[in-house]
Amino acid sequence: MIYVRTAGEGDLVAIRALLVETWHATYDDIYGAGKVAEITAEWHSPARLRVRLAEPNSEFLVADDGTALAGVAFASAQGQTVTLRQLYVRPSMQGRGIGGMLLDEIVSCFPEANRIMLEVEPANTKAVAFYLSQGFARTGRVSDCGSMGAGIPADTYERAIVCS
């Protein structure tokens, strides 16, 4: 059984390993293994992940089966808008509803929000299909996904958050 919970300091090594594994499986064919290693070394370093644990107006979640992490999500809010900055599911665990569980929990963490937005690499067709299935619509494009000066283009997606 998978449980979604808030990430803690003790999860950082496992989160980094999950992100590196997932990034290589997803992006090696798009950017090349060397570029993916460079990106994960910078974006998913333990120090950078540690900062996220304390970032105000944010939530850092993991999907955990008690043995290993199956997924990770990180989002932050500004006003009534949530920005989903990461949602990754271990490749061997994809297609089991874990991404949807993480997304639902992220949304529930920001009860004042009325919309959620994200950026996704257009060539990441699995992610694009997932977000479309979750009610997101493409709204535009950015030239620096992830960080200023990254030079990695991405499509932007958005959906309303409806209270049930």
Side-chain angles (χ1 to χ4, degrees):
M1 175 164 268
I2 302 287
Y3 298 95
V4 176
R5 62 176 174 78
T6 299
E9 179 81 25
D11 295 312
L12 294 180
V13 170
I15 290 169
R16 175 168 165 59
L18 182 146
L19 289 169
V20 169
E21 176 187 344
T22 304
W23 265 70
H24 278 290
T26 304
Y27 297 112
D28 279 3
D29 288 343
I30 298 169
Y31 302 127
K35 180 68 173 174
V36 170
E38 179 184 315
I39 290 170
T40 59
E42 179 186 344
W43 291 2
H44 307 136
S45 70
R48 193 129 177 215
L49 294 172
R50 187 171 291 108
V51 167
R52 290 195 163 174
L53 290 174
E55 190 172 314
N57 303 316
S58 69
E59 190 63 43
F60 199 173
L61 303 173
V62 292
D64 188 347
D65 71 2
T67 305
L69 297 185
V72 62
F74 177 77
S76 59
Q78 185 170 13
Q80 293 184 308
T81 301
V82 174
T83 301
L84 182 64
R85 302 197 183 281
Q86 289 183 316
L87 194 157
Y88 294 100
V89 175
R90 186 178 304 281
S92 64
M93 301 294 286
Q94 292 175 3
R96 300 181 190 188
I98 297 165
M101 290 171 57
L102 285 163
L103 182 59
D104 289 347
E105 187 64 24
I106 284 288
V107 167
S108 75
C109 290
F110 301 97
E112 302 300 319
N114 62 17
R115 72 183 184 131
I116 183 168
M117 53 190 294
L118 59 95
E119 298 171 354
V120 66
E121 161 62 61
N124 185 352
T125 56
K126 284 185 181 180
V128 170
F130 169 76
Y131 291 121
L132 291 173
S133 79
Q134 297 295 313
F136 285 84
R138 186 177 179 278
T139 57
R141 189 165 179 84
V142 296
S143 57
D144 284 323
C145 179
S147 65
M148 293 300 289
I152 298 173
D155 288 343
T156 56
Y157 286 78
E158 184 178 309
R159 81 165 201 209
I161 295 175
V162 181
C163 297
S164 37

